[in-house]
C-alpha cells in the first residue's frame, strides 16, 4: 500500500512539495501540466477536479519506483528526464527516508520528488545518491488551504 488517502499523503509529505507553475488543463482531463526544475511534468491530479488552479503552486510530485540503484559516489550533477508521457528517470541525492509509513524516499533531482516503492529502500540514508526510474503515471498532490500554510512552518 502506497497511501491510505490523498489527504493523509499530503499531510505526511507537505514539506517536500516542489515549487513551480501549473498551466490550465483541458476540461475533464485528469492530468496537471506542472513545470518545475526545468521540466514539464504531466501529473495525475490526486486532489480532485478544479483544485489545481493555473499559476504558481506547491505540488508534491510522487512517483512509484520501478528500478533504482544506490550510486557508489556523487555524480557531477543531478539529472532528471521524462520517460513517455508521465514517467521519470534520474539521478539525485536522498534528502529523507520517512519512517512509519509505506516505503518512501525523498530525492532532490532538479526538483524534490517523493518516490514510493512496493518494497522498502533498506540501504538508503540521507546524503546517498541514487539513480531511479518511475512507473507512469506520476501523481500530483497540490497544496492548498491549511496544507499550504502548514508547509511554511
Amino acid at each position: 500500500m502506497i497511501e491510505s488517502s490523498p489527504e493523509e499523503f499530503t499531510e505526511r509529505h507537505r514539506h517536500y512539495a516542489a515549487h513551480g507553475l501549473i498551466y490550465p488543463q483541458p476540461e475533464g482531463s485528469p492530468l496537471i501540466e506542472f513545470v518545475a526544475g526545468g521540466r514539464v511534468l504531466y501529473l495525475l491530479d490526486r486532489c480532485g477536479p478544479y483544485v489545481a488552479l493555473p499559476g504558481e503552486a506547491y505540488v508534491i510530485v510522487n512517483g512509484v519506483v520501478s528500478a533504482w540503484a544506490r550510486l557508489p559516489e556523487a555524480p557531477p550533477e543531478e539529472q532528471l528526464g521524462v520517460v513517455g508521457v508521465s514517467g521519470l528517470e534520474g539521478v539525485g541525492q536522498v534528502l529523507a527516508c520517512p519512517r512509519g509509513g509505506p516505503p518512501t524516499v525523498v530525492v532532490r533531482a532538479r526538483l524534490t520528488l517523493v518516490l514510493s516503492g512496493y518494497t522498502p529502500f533498506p540501504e538508503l540514508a540521507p546524503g546517498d545518491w541514487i539513480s531511479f526510474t518511475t512507473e507512469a503515471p506520476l501523481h500530483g498532490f497540490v497544496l492548498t488551504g491549511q496544507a499550504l500554510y502548514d508547509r511554511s512552518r
Side-chain angles (χ1 to χ4, degrees):
M1 177 176 79
I2 301 290
E3 66 177 66
S4 58
S5 73
E7 296 80 15
E8 180 271 334
F9 190 90
T10 300
E11 173 64 24
R12 189 163 21 104
H13 299 295
R14 69 178 183 269
H15 299 291
Y16 306 119
H19 181 257
L21 291 172
I22 294 177
Y23 285 89
Q25 61 193 55
E27 183 67 30
S29 173
L31 296 179
I32 301 169
E33 186 174 336
F34 182 60
V35 178
R39 299 290 180 260
V40 177
L41 307 176
Y42 290 93
L43 311 174
L44 180 63
D45 184 356
R46 295 302 311 277
C47 296
Y50 311 112
V51 171
L53 300 176
E56 287 190 51
Y58 284 93
V59 178
I60 302 165
V61 178
N62 173 240
V64 176
V65 173
S66 58
W68 69 275
R70 185 175 180 275
L71 302 178
E73 59 187 49
E77 63 183 24
E78 300 168 355
Q79 299 172 22
L80 189 66
V82 177
V83 178
V85 173
S86 187
L88 295 174
E89 61 183 6
V91 172
Q93 187 173 31
V94 174
L95 300 178
C97 300
R99 303 287 184 233
T104 304
V105 63
V106 179
V107 174
R108 172 80 188 167
R110 297 183 58 107
L111 67 136
T112 303
L113 304 165
V114 177
L115 301 178
S116 301
Y118 293 115
T119 59
F121 300 94
E123 64 234 32
L124 294 179
D128 288 345
W129 284 81
I130 65 168
S131 64
F132 62 88
T133 303
T134 69
E135 299 175 358
L138 294 170
H139 294 219
F141 299 81
V142 180
L143 298 189
T144 61
Q146 191 65 36
L148 182 57
Y149 171 76
D150 288 345
R151 184 192 182 284
S152 63
R153 288 185 177 183

